[in-house]
Amino acid sequence: MSVSPTENVIRFGLFELELKSGQLRKNGSRIRIPRQPAQVLALLLERPGEVVTREELRQRLWSPDTFIDFDHALNKSVQKLRDALGDSAESPRFIETIPRVGYRFIAPVKENARRVIEELDEQTGDELPAEPASDKNTLILPTEPRTKTGWLLVAGCMAALLMGAGWLAYTKHEREQQIAPVHSLAVLPLDNLSGDHEQDYFADGMTDELTTMLAKDSTLRIVSRTSAMQYRRATRPLPEIAQALGVDGVVEGSVERSGDKVHMTLQLIQGSSDAHVWAESYDRDANNTVSLLNEAAMAIAKKTNSAVAERPPARYVNPEAHDAYMRGEHLWYSENNSDKAKDYFQRAVELEPDYALGWLGLSQYYGSNLLNGRMNPMEGLVPMEAAAQKAVELDGSLPDPHIALCGSIFFKEHDWARADRECMRAIDLDPRYASAYRMRARLFGAVNRHDEGIAQEKIATELDPSGDQWGLARSYLWARKYDLGIADARLRLESSPHNAKTLENLAALYRCKGMYEEAAQAWEDMFSARGDEVSASSVRRAFAEGGYTAVVRWNLADLKKQSLQHYVSPVLLALAHAQLQQREETLNSLEEAYRSRDPLLLWVQDDPAYDFVHSDERYRSVIKGMGLQPAY
């Protein structure tokens, strides 16, 4: 039995596929599935129980002028489809692989109302005259029913039609009522349908820039890229994802680049009801993706009644510079490779010196490595500030360049007031941007205004619940409110148990509270989360042999070993010496950090490990030299 292609909803098991939109649902809850896997499923459902060959799938789904690795693309689509259905190739319940031939849908397919009606018509055809209808919307009734049964059938049909019309009107009204206004939005990672993993950076870049443009072109609260990216290839129902991200709506879609052409599909889903609000597809030249994304962002803003005043058309960006920037962003966020990312950011500004995002990427590269203690401040502070200043000059309408400039001013000049003005400028540009509040929390933590810093982190957490999940715990750590910090970190780890930064802050919280066994365990878990099982084993062995003091000694030795290969901040060495109560070594390391204007010095007063040197004039000279007032 084949399924009529005119049927819009096909049901099987606990699932149903809506053919027109490609939406897959399980028990009424929508399951996120890319466009091509949905098309594969639709073709298989047309002929349940029959083999659909790979060649048929190729002809139906991939146009002749699309140059991709078809086998890889089809295999990937089928795998994504199986992931969504909870199926497997080894023990299939839905899709059976016919080796070297194709696929067969093996689960029972439920017949819908249309087929039941067609069968009823066939059974009663001898009682109702077959009269042609000149208009498909006109109901033709027999003028002289030949039997009593005929009259009853006619009356029944008319009653059913009237009831059906009323029900359709009612459900349409109810559906419109269910689609509540969208005030907050998450852009989920766009699926790369090019069939080439090397194009993942392009899909990620398009996702990132659409997120940025929506924040710029609408009054919507847009969750951060980092928060949304954790749902790459997720098969959880969209209402669950929306609830976890704390948003009213979700944008999902796919992008496919083939040669010099780009095809992008987007749809907007209302989070709580899983209702389809808007959908559009775009086809553009690959050199014109910036205007494509701007058009899409404005369409979504208008659909949600959140569009801001018309802005000037998007400025032309050199396609090669734009591509280099997207590659850098992908390496930065997805592969955590800052050195290679920096090369691409540098390439972007060389190709187009007035490209604001390229300069922003460079500033963020320097700032991140300075805060990680892996870059000599004498080499990083000046270019960090110069790149941030350039980005602000080129496009002051974006909040991120102002945040980068805030950090560079504070790190390099220690000018708290001027740095905070840049941060406030970012908030003025986008009051819903969580990163600006998180930067302010850093500033308040350094100048001992901890209650204000905690308040800023709480605002950021409310705006972006799945963002930097360790931020509030860190502010509690700086404020020496260890119980609150531990409770918050543990809460975050329930949903993200392998977040290395949360585990790092939890280890510090335990250590400051004197819970050394728990601190060592959190350290071990942190290294495991980073994929560094060698260090995790070293921590475990050191604690077993000599307790937490042995763990600190191992850390000090490891830092010294690393310093032979790359720069290691003296502040990291000072903290290890301080935990071992080594006064001279602690002060020497702090003074060395001061001479290089190491920004990590800005927060040393917040750690109780240094309390034993607070009365030392050498220590106080370092603090005052950084422009800070002694706190203890």
Side-chain angles (χ1 to χ4, degrees), residues 584-595:
E584 194 65 22
E585 291 87 345
T586 299
L587 293 171
N588 287 341
S589 294
L590 291 176
E591 288 173 336
E592 181 183 351
Y594 173 70
R595 287 191 291 271

Side-chain angles (χ1 to χ4, degrees), residues 378-412:
M378 303 298 287
E379 299 174 359
L381 285 172
V382 171
M384 177 192 178
E385 185 176 34
Q389 187 66 55
K390 188 75 172 176
V392 169
E393 291 172 359
L394 290 170
D395 192 347
S397 67
L398 296 173
D400 277 318
H402 292 279
I403 296 172
L405 185 57
C406 164
S408 65
I409 291 170
F410 193 49
F411 297 168
K412 179 174 175 287

Side-chain angles (χ1 to χ4, degrees), residues 113-130 139 153 157:
R114 174 186 292 274
R115 183 159 300 284
V116 173
I117 290 173
E118 289 174 351
E119 292 176 355
L120 180 62
D121 287 343
E122 292 173 0
Q123 295 171 5
T124 60
D126 61 332
E127 297 187 19
L128 293 174
L139 179 64
L153 282 171
C157 286

